[in-house]
């Protein structure tokens, strides 16, 4: 089965791709953005060649993304959609972060050092950093930030990874101590999450203030965001741009049309099936990054039919993973083995690669009481490039095992609405994380996004031991053992790890491949500039 988007664009006779009348009139831009984009289209360099020489200052970068909606937010600590994440990365900064090589690096912290028993982590803050309103960053702001994130009455996205945190003690303006109730050998990894941006003591998301390279100017949920250069940013010479405009589109057609008609300068997460077509336009460059990202099918292990592990295993064996990579990702990805965190040193790489086995899938279903197969509803939405196509391909593959998959497509707002985490069988997407931070987010009974409702006592115990084990070799053994349990009994179907594909006009410079899975160089627009004449 060909992915649904594979034939939506075709090369015309001219060297530059043009919108057809049918697509221009029939598709339109999401949420009425056509007029808005046209009004913002001036001031861009009138060049087709890639910029050369040192970075240039000035201009507005117009970024197109999909996946946002009416629930979009500027809250530093509650990003959900892709557009949310793009905003928080540019408005706020965490103490540490993962760079484009997926290596942990200092950001607002210059060091994070554990005590001998890993019960206290001492963090020294970068000096000379100010918030957007001019106030200096201090240890009190760090303490207030983590108090807000872990508020028991209103825990934020990152709270699950901070369950071991008792308090943040302010030693002085530039030093704090994270005092833990349980030894945490990889607590620095937990500090390197984009949802842990440091904010002032009196932070209010309605007037978002951070230390990031761009400052808030305007925001309309599900539509657009505008940010301006932080003139007092602590990095020398950055950012280069005057303004950053983030525009939301509700489908891939509108997103790609905006790029090809030069109404935006860069787009993130383009359908991998369209790479060759888009790359044929001489004005466009492609950024294709290997990642540890994953776009799973999620089976609730506490609801029939998925409360029977034989059914879960049958569904996993129904998948032709190579075909999924080829048809959904056009070959731009790596095969998955129902495990996340492939870059983690403890990744259980010795487990046998699961392959399609229709006969065995039928046997398992029969043993589980479904000798004639069964019917299930799969909830899908355009939450990530390729998600809907993956659902369609899976439905075709599963039919061979007697599984009738009825696809229910909803919009992104509905998917992440009241039904999110309650679907019996659905999808999701996750960016690259190491195992322990990922488990904190998705695979423990205390995790905020435990979409499979997984709660396995032996798995939980192995994770707890791994968190407190300082010896990296022993910790990796525990991680591999925990992964083996999830491999055998878990509720995820992880068929592959998609590459991250983005596209941009050739006058955009500074974008580099990024393994984190975040689009457009991890949304680090601080180092992007526009070539050509900006006058």
């Amino acid at each position: 089965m060909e992915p649904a988007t594979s034939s939506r664009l075709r090369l015309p006779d001219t060297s530059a791709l043009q919108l057809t009348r049918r697509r221009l009139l029939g598709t339109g831009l999401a949420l009425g953005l056509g007029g808005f984009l046209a009004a913002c289209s001036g001031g861009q360099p009138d060049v087709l060649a890639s910029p050369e020489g040192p970075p240039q200052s000035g201009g507005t970068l117009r970024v197109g993304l999909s996946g946002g909606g009416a629930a979009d937010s500027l809250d530093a600590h509650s990003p959900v959609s892709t557009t949310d994440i793009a905003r928080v990365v540019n408005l706020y900064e965490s103490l540490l972060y993962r760079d484009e090589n997926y290596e942990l690096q200092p950001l607002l912290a210059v060091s994070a050092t554990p005590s001998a028993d890993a019960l206290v982590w001492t963090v020294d803050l970068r000096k000379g950093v100010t918030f957007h309103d001019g106030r200096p960053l201090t240890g009190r702001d760090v303490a207030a930030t983590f108090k807000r994130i872990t508020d028991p009455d209103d825990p934020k996205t990152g709270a699950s990874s901070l369950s071991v945190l008792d308090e943040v003690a302010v030693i002085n303006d530039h030093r704090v101590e994270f005092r833990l109730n349980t030894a945490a050998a990889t607590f620095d990894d937990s500090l390197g999450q984009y949802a842990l941006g440091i904010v002032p003591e009196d932070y209010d998301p309605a007037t978002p203030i951070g230390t990031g390279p761009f400052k808030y100017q305007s925001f309309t949920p599900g539509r657009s965001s505008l940010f301006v250069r932080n003139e007092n940013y602590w990095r020398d010479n950055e950012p280069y741009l005057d303004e950053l405009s983030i525009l939301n589109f509700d489908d891939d057609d509108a997103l790609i049309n905006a790029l090809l008609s030069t109404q935006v300068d860069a787009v993130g997460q383009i359908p991998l099936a369209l790479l060759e077509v888009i790359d044929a336009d001489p004005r466009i460059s492609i950024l294709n990054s290997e990642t540890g990202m994953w776009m799973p099918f999620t089976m609730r292990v506490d609801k029939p039919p998925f409360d029977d592990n034989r059914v879960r295993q049958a569904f996993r064996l129904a998948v032709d993973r190579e075909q999924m990579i080829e048809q959904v990702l056009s070959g731009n990805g790596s095969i998955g083995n129902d495990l996340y965190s492939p870059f983690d040193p403890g990744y259980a790489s010795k487990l046998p690669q699961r392959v399609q086995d229709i006969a065995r899938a039928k046997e398992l279903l029969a043993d589980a009481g479904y000798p004639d197969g069964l019917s299930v509803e799969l909830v899908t939405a355009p939450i990530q490039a390729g998600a809907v196509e993956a659902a369609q391909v899976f439905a075709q593959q599963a039919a061979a095992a007697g599984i009738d998959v009825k696809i229910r497509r909803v919009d992104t707002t509905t998917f992440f609405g009241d039904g999110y985490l309650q679907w019996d069988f659905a999808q999701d997407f996750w960016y690259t994380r190491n195992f322990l931070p990922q488990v904190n987010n998705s695979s423990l009974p205390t995790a905020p996004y435990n979409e499979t409702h997984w709660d396995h006592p032996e798995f939980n115990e192995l994770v707890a031991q791994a968190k407190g084990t300082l010896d990296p070799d022993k910790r990796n053994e525990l991680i591999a053992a925990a992964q083996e349990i999830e491999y055998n009994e878990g509720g995820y179907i992880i068929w592959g790890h998609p590459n991250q594909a983005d596209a941009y006009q050739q006058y955009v410079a500074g974008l580099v491949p990024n393994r984190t899975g975040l689009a457009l160089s991890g949304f680090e627009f601080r180092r992007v500039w526009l070539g050509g004449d900006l006058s």
Side-chain angles (χ1 to χ4, degrees):
M1 174 179 177
E2 286 297 314
T5 56
S6 63
S7 60
R8 288 182 178 178
L9 294 176
R10 58 188 178 87
L11 282 171
D13 295 334
T14 57
S15 60
L17 289 171
Q18 302 293 326
L19 295 171
T20 67
R21 178 178 175 83
R22 176 185 67 80
R23 291 172 59 80
L24 183 61
L25 297 180
T27 303
L29 294 173
L31 301 175
L33 276 174
F36 178 84
L37 285 171
C40 294
S41 61
Q44 301 306 313
D46 186 19
V47 295
L48 295 182
S50 299
E52 298 179 357
Q56 302 181 34
S57 296
T60 299
L61 179 70
R62 303 161 303 169
V63 175
L65 297 171
S66 62
D72 281 1
S73 169
L74 291 172
D75 193 314
H77 307 131
S78 301
V80 175
S81 70
T82 300
T83 50
D84 286 346
I85 297 167
R87 285 185 287 269
V88 303
V89 169
N90 287 280
L91 283 172
Y92 314 101
E93 294 174 309
S94 52
L95 295 172
L96 306 168
Y97 82 112
R98 291 278 179 180
D99 67 10
E100 63 269 20
N101 298 314
Y102 201 67
E103 295 177 357
L104 199 61
Q105 300 287 359
L107 194 53
L108 292 184
V110 293
S111 65
T113 308
S115 60
D117 57 6
L119 284 169
V120 177
W121 283 76
T122 301
V123 171
D124 288 319
L125 302 178
R126 190 177 300 278
K127 297 180 180 179
V129 177
T130 58
F131 288 106
H132 294 154
D133 60 1
R135 288 180 289 175
L137 167 71
T138 72
R140 294 184 301 278
D141 300 305
V142 174
T145 292
F146 284 87
K147 183 177 181 180
R148 180 178 191 266
I149 294 169
T150 58
D151 180 355
D153 295 326
D154 185 21
K156 301 302 188 292
T157 300
S160 60
S161 64
L162 302 172
S163 60
V164 298
L165 178 61
D166 269 350
E167 66 169 328
V168 180
V170 180
I171 306 305
N172 56 47
D173 279 354
H174 295 102
R175 173 171 287 185
V176 295
E177 287 183 354
F178 287 83
R179 297 174 179 174
L180 314 181
N181 54 51
T182 305
T186 60
F187 189 71
D188 53 346
D189 199 349
S190 298
L191 296 177
Q193 307 297 320
Y194 56 72
L196 301 181
I198 305 302
V199 296
E201 288 184 88
D202 57 356
Y203 175 71
D204 180 357
T207 53
I209 292 174
T211 65
F214 293 95
K215 300 186 294 185
Y216 164 77
Q217 183 75 18
S218 64
F219 170 56
T220 303
R223 182 179 172 88
S224 62
S225 316
L226 183 64
F227 309 101
V228 298
R229 172 194 283 149
N230 177 6
E231 298 287 357
N232 297 314
Y233 189 50
W234 57 270
R235 293 181 191 264
D236 292 340
N237 303 317
E238 293 181 359
Y240 304 114
L241 300 166
D242 287 333
E243 294 181 327
L244 169 64
S245 176
I246 298 174
L247 305 166
N248 183 71
F249 297 86
D250 63 2
D251 62 56
D252 293 333
D253 282 359
L255 185 70
I256 301 306
N257 286 341
L259 176 73
L260 299 180
S261 61
T262 67
Q263 291 178 320
V264 294
D265 306 305
V267 297
Q269 300 175 340
I270 61 176
L272 293 167
L274 300 181
L275 280 183
E276 291 186 10
V277 175
I278 297 171
D279 197 34
D281 187 329
R283 303 167 301 168
I284 306 298
S285 294
I286 298 291
L287 191 64
N288 195 344
S289 305
E290 176 193 34
T291 77
M293 186 168 62
W294 47 298
M295 193 163 50
F297 294 101
T298 60
M299 303 176 287
R300 277 191 61 169
V301 301
D302 62 336
K303 291 280 189 176
F306 301 112
D307 56 348
D308 189 321
N309 189 43
R310 292 169 295 186
V311 173
R312 302 197 296 272
Q313 291 287 43
F315 272 58
R316 287 169 156 180
L317 291 172
V319 182
D320 184 333
R321 295 155 198 265
E322 292 185 355
Q323 186 183 57
M324 292 286 280
I325 296 293
E326 289 302 317
Q327 292 199 353
V328 178
L329 308 180
S330 295
N332 294 280
S334 57
I335 292 174
N337 201 25
D338 299 322
L339 300 173
Y340 40 79
S341 305
F343 298 154
D344 193 292
Y347 182 76
S349 57
K350 294 183 179 180
L351 291 174
Q353 174 61 54
R354 190 167 275 139
V355 298
Q356 187 182 52
D357 189 337
I358 297 298
R360 179 58 179 156
K362 288 181 175 180
E363 288 177 4
L364 287 166
L365 290 176
D367 290 345
Y370 303 98
D372 299 320
L374 77 167
S375 178
V376 295
E377 179 183 78
L378 171 59
V379 181
T380 187
I383 55 174
Q384 185 83 348
V388 175
E389 291 76 18
Q392 294 167 337
V393 174
F394 175 80
Q396 184 190 57
Q397 293 178 348
I403 302 170
D404 177 24
V405 178
K406 300 183 184 301
I407 294 176
R408 175 186 170 194
R409 177 170 175 169
V410 300
D411 60 35
T412 300
T413 299
T414 301
F415 187 90
F416 287 121
D418 292 339
Y420 182 51
L421 307 180
Q422 302 305 317
W423 314 117
D424 291 350
F425 189 39
Q427 292 170 281
D428 210 339
F429 73 93
W430 291 93
Y431 295 122
T432 308
R433 279 186 174 90
N434 275 358
F435 178 77
L436 293 177
Q438 181 61 59
V439 165
N440 283 331
N441 276 276
S442 65
S443 298
L444 291 176
T446 56
Y449 305 113
N450 188 352
E451 50 213 337
T452 66
H453 294 241
W454 171 250
D455 184 4
H456 192 290
E458 185 180 355
F459 175 89
N460 299 342
E461 177 59 27
L462 287 167
V463 168
Q465 291 180 38
K467 289 179 179 179
T469 301
L470 295 173
D471 184 297
D473 292 333
K474 292 181 179 178
R475 183 171 63 247
N476 291 340
E477 290 178 3
L478 292 166
I479 287 173
Q483 285 198 320
E484 185 171 2
I485 292 174
E486 203 163 12
Y487 173 85
N488 288 323
E489 302 179 47
Y492 281 127
I493 302 173
I494 304 175
W495 52 268
H497 301 284
N499 288 4
Q500 172 57 51
D502 311 304
Y504 55 96
Q505 310 290 349
Q506 289 202 1
Y507 53 72
V508 177
L511 296 171
V512 297
N514 188 295
R515 300 182 83 187
T516 66
L518 296 179
L520 294 165
S521 294
F523 298 127
E524 290 188 63
F525 299 127
R526 62 178 174 80
R527 58 186 185 185
V528 173
W529 75 93
L530 303 176
D533 182 8
L534 294 175
S535 61

